[in-house]
């Protein structure tokens, strides 16, 4: 598991195990033992080899730690500050320091011993201390303080625009630059490589291949891509569902693949890459692909949609049917699939993370799923909008574009108000209907429409006015507003006011439900017929 360039000697490995267990005995390599093979060193090594047994889990964790740090002996540097439980006699101190220098310097003990015991230990020990263990709660606390600093920066930036003072403007600009750098640095401390999630999938693929009787090869790339630790933990279950779906529904059995002229062994590709302030995940298989016509028929059979609606769906919209709750193309329920809950869980989780999913599939070629997520959820850029005189924030990660449209030229499809944008029908929702139930806004010839995307669809949200982009810090809602659907939190704006942050996924679901319950508004019927 450790790379070829990270090999360590047997003595260094035994010393590493001693340090791991907190052994206060001298390390196996000492100043006065190198020239005397009959000394106490050999006895110590034998004792460490025979008595300091570790479990398989401890051994795996040890190797994982070595691999993550990219170096072998230096991994013990985090344990060096540990002192023995009982005071050591004075003569033992000089021999203990060179031993630490030997382990911390990666086997380069000869030069350290030539320079003297105490001095060598003092020079070599700091070289191995390349990392520090920090509690995640402390990182979260630092992130919250940086968030408060960002709010102060936004406030000062707004004051600068109201007062013409060159010196004050320069000082605020410098503060804004330093704050941005500090924010970036603190965010990096919360980052973890996505390989923490990816490392579990070789075993998942092996187990599925054995259970389903398929031959599958897993290819992984971009495992060193960094992501916020909270997102890394949240991505685990959705990725498992996507990979299991690719193996069970996508990859064919070896006999079917041979009959189709494909290699017996199928391929599943799992990858990650950073694209600006987002991370893109790829799950690809070279299986049989998805048949959009079969998906339409299955959705109608299960009563998930009307036949007329299924006929009007494009192929890309038909692919998104797999995210509906209760939908499954399997006729028999197994341990892997058939219950119709896996992909629905994926859509819900990705939507909660302000992400989106895109599906491309071709029959006989395979299926590609692309998941796009923001790098962090602690401090996020948002689009500030005005609704009924109040300021609201829409996470910029969910915004596709902003349009000024003539809403007097809308049409209706299945009681859903739509407008044609670049030869495609865009569903339209008035946010005022959510903010003020029962209120029916009048259509405008120059309406501001914010096009947002959820995990599997795009819709247009009509707002009263646009303010601009602003970095916001998500604050939890008070007790009276907790649990309100459509709200993700609150933030303090640059002018000291409070803006509610919209939960786009929940909001679209609420608006769709309101539309199904109330039907087509009378006002809109007259405008569309006119």
């Amino acid at each position: 598991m450790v790379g070829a360039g990270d090999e360590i000697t047997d003595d260094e490995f035994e010393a590493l195990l001693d340090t791991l267990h907190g052994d206060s005995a001298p390390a196996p390599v000492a100043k006065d033992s190198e020239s005397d093979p009959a000394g106490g060193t050999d006895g110590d090594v034998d004792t460490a080899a025979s008595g300091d047994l570790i479990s398989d889990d401890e051994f795996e964790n040890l190797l994982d730690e070595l691999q993550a740090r990219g170096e072998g002996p230096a991994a013990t540097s985090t344990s060096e500050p540990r002192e023995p439980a009982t005071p050591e006699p004075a003569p033992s101190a000089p021999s203990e320091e060179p031993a630490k220098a030997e382990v911390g310097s990666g086997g380069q003990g000869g030069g350290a011993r030539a320079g003297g015991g105490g001095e060598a230990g003092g020079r070599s020990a700091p070289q191995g201390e390349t990392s520090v263990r920090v509690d995640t709660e402390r990182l979260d606390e630092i992130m919250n303080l940086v968030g408060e600093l960002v709010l102060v920066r936004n406030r000062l930036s707004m004051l600068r625009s109201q007062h013409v003072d060159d010196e004050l403007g320069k000082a605020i600009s410098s503060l804004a630059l330093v704050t941005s750098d500090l924010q970036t640095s603190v965010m990096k401390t919360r980052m973890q490589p996505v390989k923490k999630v990816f490392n579990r999938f070789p075993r998942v693929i092996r187990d599925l291949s054995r259970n389903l009787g398929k031959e599958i090869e897993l290819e992984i790339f971009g495992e060193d891509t960094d992501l916020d630790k909270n997102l890394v933990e949240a991505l685990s279950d959705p990725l498992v569902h996507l990979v299991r779906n690719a193996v069970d529904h996508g990859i064919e059995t070896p006999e079917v693949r041979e009959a189709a002229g494909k290699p017996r062994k199928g391929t599943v590709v799992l990858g990650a890459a950073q694209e600006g302030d987002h991370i893109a995940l790829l799950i690809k298989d070279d299986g049989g692909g998805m048949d959009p016509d079969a998906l339409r028929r299955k959705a109608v059979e299960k009563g998930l949609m009307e036949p007329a609606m299924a006929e009007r769906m494009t192929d890309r919209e038909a692919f998104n049917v797999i995210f509906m709750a209760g939908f499954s193309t399997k006729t028999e329920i197994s341990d892997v699939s058939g219950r119709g809950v896996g992909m629905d869980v994926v859509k819900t989780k990705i939507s909660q993370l302000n992400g989106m999913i895109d599906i491309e599939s071709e029959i006989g070629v395979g299926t590609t799923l692309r998941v796009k997520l923001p790098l962090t959820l602690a401090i996020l850029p948002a689009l500030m909008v005005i609704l009924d005189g109040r300021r609201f924030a829409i996470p910029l990660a969910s915004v596709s574009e902003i349009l000024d449209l003539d809403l007097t030229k809308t049409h209706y499809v299945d009681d859903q108000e739509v407008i044609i944008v670049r030869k495609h029908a865009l569903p339209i929702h008035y946010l005022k209907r959510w903010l003020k139930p029962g209120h029916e806004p009048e259509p405008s010839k120059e309406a501001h429409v914010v096009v947002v995307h959820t995990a599997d669809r795009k819709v247009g949200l009509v707002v009263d006015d646009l303010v601009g982009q602003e970095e916001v810090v998500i604050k939890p809602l008070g007790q009276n507003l907790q649990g309100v659907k459509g709200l993700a939190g609150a933030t303090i704006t640059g002018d000291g006011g409070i803006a509610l942050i919209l939960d786009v996924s929940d909001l679209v679901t609420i608006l769709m439900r309101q539309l199904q319950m109330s039907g087509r508004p009378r006002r809109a019927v007259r405008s569309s017929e006119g």
Side-chain angles (χ1 to χ4, degrees):
M1 294 178 62
V2 182
D6 299 329
E7 296 181 356
I8 61 176
T9 64
D10 293 340
D11 290 343
E12 291 168 344
F13 186 72
E14 296 297 340
L16 186 61
L17 293 182
D18 290 343
T19 308
L20 180 67
H21 285 278
D23 194 349
S24 60
V29 180
K31 177 178 179 180
D32 58 348
S33 63
E34 186 171 348
S35 59
D36 186 9
T41 303
D42 291 337
D44 292 338
V45 174
D46 293 338
T47 301
S50 60
D52 291 341
L53 297 179
I54 63 174
S55 65
D56 292 340
D57 292 339
E58 291 176 329
F59 185 73
E60 294 292 342
N61 293 335
L62 180 61
L63 291 183
D64 289 342
E65 183 179 358
L66 291 175
Q67 186 179 19
R69 299 189 179 199
E71 52 184 6
T76 63
S77 61
T78 57
S79 301
E80 287 183 8
R82 183 183 299 166
E83 296 295 336
T86 58
E88 291 290 339
S92 64
S95 62
E96 184 178 355
E97 290 300 324
K100 289 183 179 181
E102 179 79 19
V103 176
S105 59
Q108 304 295 327
R113 286 192 301 272
E119 294 179 3
R123 288 195 304 267
S124 301
Q127 295 178 1
E129 296 177 356
T130 58
S131 62
V132 178
R133 292 180 180 271
V134 180
D135 196 329
T136 56
E137 292 183 359
R138 185 168 298 177
L139 287 179
D140 293 338
E141 182 181 354
I142 295 175
M143 195 62 169
N144 291 335
L145 293 175
V146 172
E148 296 294 336
L149 186 59
V150 169
L151 296 178
V152 174
R153 180 199 63 186
N154 295 342
R155 175 66 171 157
L156 291 175
S157 298
M158 180 164 290
L159 291 176
R160 181 185 59 179
S161 63
Q162 298 174 357
H163 299 81
V164 180
D165 189 331
D166 292 342
E167 294 300 325
L168 178 62
K170 291 179 181 178
I172 294 177
S173 298
S174 299
L175 176 63
L177 182 60
V178 174
T179 303
S180 298
D181 293 341
L182 178 61
Q183 175 186 341
T184 302
S185 299
V186 173
M187 286 173 57
K188 287 181 179 179
T189 63
R190 293 167 51 97
M191 296 293 184
Q192 289 182 344
V194 75
K195 68 180 177 183
K196 181 179 179 181
V197 179
F198 283 7
N199 284 344
R200 65 185 297 184
F201 285 103
R203 180 175 180 178
V204 172
I205 293 294
R206 288 195 302 269
D207 293 344
L208 290 174
S209 301
R210 189 183 309 113
N211 295 337
L212 300 175
K214 298 180 180 181
E215 299 178 10
I216 304 172
E217 179 181 359
L218 176 64
E219 296 180 2
I220 297 179
F221 70 89
E223 60 267 29
D224 292 329
T225 304
D226 289 333
L227 191 61
D228 190 284
K229 70 177 185 68
N230 294 332
L231 289 177
V232 170
E233 297 168 357
L235 275 177
S236 179
D237 288 342
L239 284 180
V240 168
H241 285 298
L242 291 175
V243 171
R244 288 163 65 98
N245 189 74
V247 172
D248 187 27
H249 295 273
I251 302 296
E252 313 95 329
T253 59
E255 295 76 16
V256 174
R257 293 181 64 87
E258 280 188 335
K262 294 182 177 181
R264 286 179 58 88
K265 181 178 291 186
T267 302
V268 175
V269 180
L270 179 64
Q274 184 173 342
E275 297 179 354
D277 59 349
H278 287 73
I279 183 174
L281 302 176
L282 177 72
I283 301 94
K284 181 179 180 181
D285 66 77
D286 63 347
M290 292 191 292
D291 184 356
D293 293 331
L295 294 175
R296 294 185 184 97
R297 290 194 299 269
K298 200 71 176 180
V300 173
E301 290 176 6
K302 290 183 172 291
L304 298 176
M305 62 177 59
E306 298 295 329
M309 182 184 298
E311 292 178 1
R312 287 193 295 267
M313 295 175 63
T314 63
D315 289 349
R316 186 176 292 271
E317 292 172 341
F319 294 149
N320 290 327
V321 170
I322 65 175
F323 296 115
M324 289 185 173
F327 181 87
S328 178
T329 56
K330 288 287 186 178
T331 56
E332 297 180 357
I333 298 178
S334 66
D335 294 337
V336 180
S337 62
R339 294 179 295 274
V341 297
M343 300 304 286
D344 178 48
V345 170
V346 171
K347 186 195 75 170
T348 302
K349 195 65 178 179
I350 297 300
S351 298
Q352 292 174 353
L353 300 176
N354 293 330
M356 62 177 296
I357 306 177
D358 182 60
I359 303 178
E360 295 179 3
S361 185
E362 185 177 349
I363 299 177
V365 177
T367 303
T368 301
L369 288 92
R370 292 182 175 86
V371 181
K372 192 175 182 181
L373 294 165
L375 286 176
T376 182
L377 297 177
I379 300 176
L380 70 159
L383 176 66
M384 308 301 292
V385 300
I386 301 295
L387 279 175
D388 197 31
R390 302 180 181 91
R391 185 172 297 189
F392 291 84
I394 302 176
L396 208 59
S398 301
V399 178
S400 297
E401 58 182 329
I402 302 172
L403 304 173
D404 288 335
L405 300 176
D406 183 0
L407 296 186
T408 62
K409 298 181 179 179
T410 57
H411 306 275
Y412 276 86
V413 177
D414 296 323
D415 286 339
Q416 170 65 63
E417 189 174 6
V418 301
I419 190 168
I420 305 301
V421 178
R422 292 187 287 272
K423 298 182 179 180
H424 288 84
L426 176 68
I428 294 294
H429 295 283
Y430 288 85
L431 285 183
K432 273 193 175 181
R433 292 175 182 163
W434 164 76
L435 186 63
K436 302 173 66 176
H439 174 73
E440 195 58 46
E442 291 294 328
S444 172
K445 290 188 176 182
E446 295 182 358
H448 302 294
V449 179
V450 180
V451 181
V452 298
H453 56 255
T454 60
D456 58 342
R457 70 181 68 186
K458 281 187 177 183
V459 299
L461 302 179
V462 182
V463 299
D464 294 343
D465 201 0
L466 303 171
V467 178
Q469 178 181 340
E470 187 174 319
E471 283 190 328
V472 300
V473 180
I474 299 181
K475 299 291 184 180
L477 295 171
Q479 185 175 3
N480 294 332
L481 291 177
Q482 283 183 354
V484 176
K485 295 294 185 180
L487 296 180
T491 187
I492 301 176
T493 60
D495 57 2
I498 296 177
L500 296 177
I501 303 174
L502 301 180
D503 186 330
V504 174
S505 178
D506 273 357
L507 199 56
V508 172
T509 302
I510 293 171
L511 293 171
M512 293 290 294
R513 189 179 297 118
Q514 286 181 351
L515 182 64
Q516 294 172 358
M517 294 176 60
S518 60
R520 183 189 305 190
R522 294 182 179 181
R523 184 272 310 161
V525 173
R526 291 194 297 269
S527 64
S528 62
E529 291 175 352

